[in-house]
Amino acid sequence: MRVIITKDYDAMSRRAAGFVRELIERKPDAVIGFATGSTPIGLYRELIRMHREEGLDFSKIVTFNLDEYIGLPKDHPESYHTFMWENLFKHINVNPSNVHIPDGTVPDVEAYCEWYEERIKKFGGIDLQILGIGRDGHIGFNEPGSSLGSRTRIKTLAKETLEDNARFFGGDINKVPKQAITMGVGTIMEAKVLLLLASGKKKAEAVKKTVEGPITAMVPASIMQLHPKAILILDQEAASLLEREYEYDSTV
Ligand code: F6R
């Protein structure tokens, strides 16, 4: 794993945007996996800036999001559809027909998940998957105990995740949907490059277990140790419990 430690959230976001830009410039029709949550918002802001000020062209990219809550219609303010359009897609020149975000309202979730997997294959697989990490070590919504070979499917969210995401639902844990459609750990691991971002002290324990702990389904992100091209971009707080020395981003 390549671990890059940056000074703070903004430096982390800029560094991550550099990887995305490099990919799109090299491969304009790149397939990019996107994540939601607080962590990648700075990265998305920087990509919007690159589009507006430097003409970074997203017109040919194909996108696949990691997950979506079950039961939330696309236009719900807290759906991941709304999140992606508000925080990134509507500000760049992505082609809406190239955007894939799981639909949490389909009647046959199983058939839908199979279709989602097929669709990723049809586009030749994901070139770069952006990831955040949960306090409990989840990636996507693959909570502790998820099969490390799992595919896109429905998952029940862990208590920590419900607590953490209550902030988006007026602080009321009972309003957070209890289940989500998520790409599986196996699906994520097939992406050619993994780019995991983590910021802040509350992620430090999960980051330590991911990088320096054993590979275990109890910390799904730890499977990244087996990936040939896994890059972690951390800020100093998220990296604060790491015991070994890692690449330090001296450009910030
Ligand atoms: C979101 C996702 C989740 C988040 C994780 C961290 O699409 O898949 O794994 O990345 O819950 O969320 P934040 O960034 O809000 O701390």
Side-chain angles (χ1 to χ4, degrees):
M1 280 203 262
R2 180 172 172 198
V3 180
I4 300 173
I5 302 170
T6 60
K7 190 176 65 170
D8 55 20
Y9 180 79
D10 287 344
M12 176 198 75
S13 303
R14 283 197 302 273
R15 191 69 199 263
F19 280 95
V20 178
R21 164 199 235 138
E22 187 275 325
L23 171 66
I24 296 174
E25 286 177 347
R26 182 167 45 83
K27 187 177 178 191
D29 59 350
V31 180
I32 303 181
F34 285 99
T36 60
S38 310
T39 311
I41 289 179
L43 157 64
Y44 298 160
R45 243 184 258 137
E46 181 62 9
L47 292 178
I48 294 165
R49 190 199 64 73
M50 288 174 169
H51 171 66
R52 286 190 180 147
E53 295 176 13
E54 295 160 20
L56 185 62
D57 180 15
F58 294 87
S59 63
K60 294 197 183 70
I61 68 161
V62 175
T63 79
F64 284 94
N65 261 75
L66 282 168
D67 40 23
E68 176 61 286
Y69 291 116
I70 288 284
L72 288 198
K74 289 181 185 176
D75 60 358
H76 187 283
E78 294 308 332
S79 78
Y80 287 169
H81 274 82
T82 303
F83 177 97
M84 285 311 300
W85 282 98
E86 288 303 317
N87 287 291
L88 181 62
F89 294 153
K90 82 172 187 194
H91 307 285
I92 58 176
N93 63 335
V94 69
N95 177 349
S97 60
N98 287 347
V99 169
H100 302 86
I101 304 170
D103 181 346
T105 63
V106 288
D108 186 345
V109 179
E110 213 172 302
Y112 180 79
C113 291
E114 271 174 38
W115 173 84
Y116 204 73
E117 292 268 339
E118 283 306 313
R119 197 85 188 144
I120 294 173
K121 283 201 187 87
K122 181 175 172 278
F123 285 98
I126 293 172
D127 291 300
L128 175 80
Q129 177 64 57
I130 296 160
L131 296 166
I133 184 168
R135 264 194 305 145
D136 60 4
H138 72 222
I139 44 174
F141 274 135
N142 296 287
E143 300 287 18
S146 292
S147 160
L148 296 179
S150 52
R151 311 303 308 185
T152 303
R153 69 209 182 295
I154 193 165
K155 275 301 282 180
T156 298
L157 307 188
K159 192 168 152 278
E160 291 97 324
T161 306
L162 295 173
E163 283 166 8
D164 286 347
N165 290 2
R167 69 188 192 278
F168 300 115
F169 292 85
D172 184 351
I173 195 167
N174 296 312
K175 291 208 176 111
V176 186
K178 307 280 177 292
Q179 292 185 311
I181 293 180
T182 180
M183 276 186 207
V185 181
T187 320
I188 293 169
M189 283 292 284
E190 280 170 13
K192 292 169 193 105
V193 178
L194 301 179
L195 189 66
L196 185 142
L197 276 54
S199 161
K201 272 212 174 63
K202 68 177 198 255
K203 299 294 173 70
E205 189 67 42
V207 165
K208 179 176 170 47
K209 288 179 180 163
T210 297
V211 179
E212 295 178 344
I215 296 171
T216 166
M218 295 316 288
V219 183
S222 64
I223 190 71
M224 289 173 67
Q225 293 175 26
L226 289 180
H227 195 285
K229 278 194 183 160
I231 304 163
L232 275 80
I233 308 185
L234 313 173
D235 66 7
Q236 283 179 340
E237 286 188 354
S240 58
L241 295 179
L242 292 176
E243 281 169 19
R244 298 184 65 89
E245 289 206 355
Y246 297 93
E247 178 181 348
Y248 187 82
D249 183 359
S250 55
T251 60
V252 294

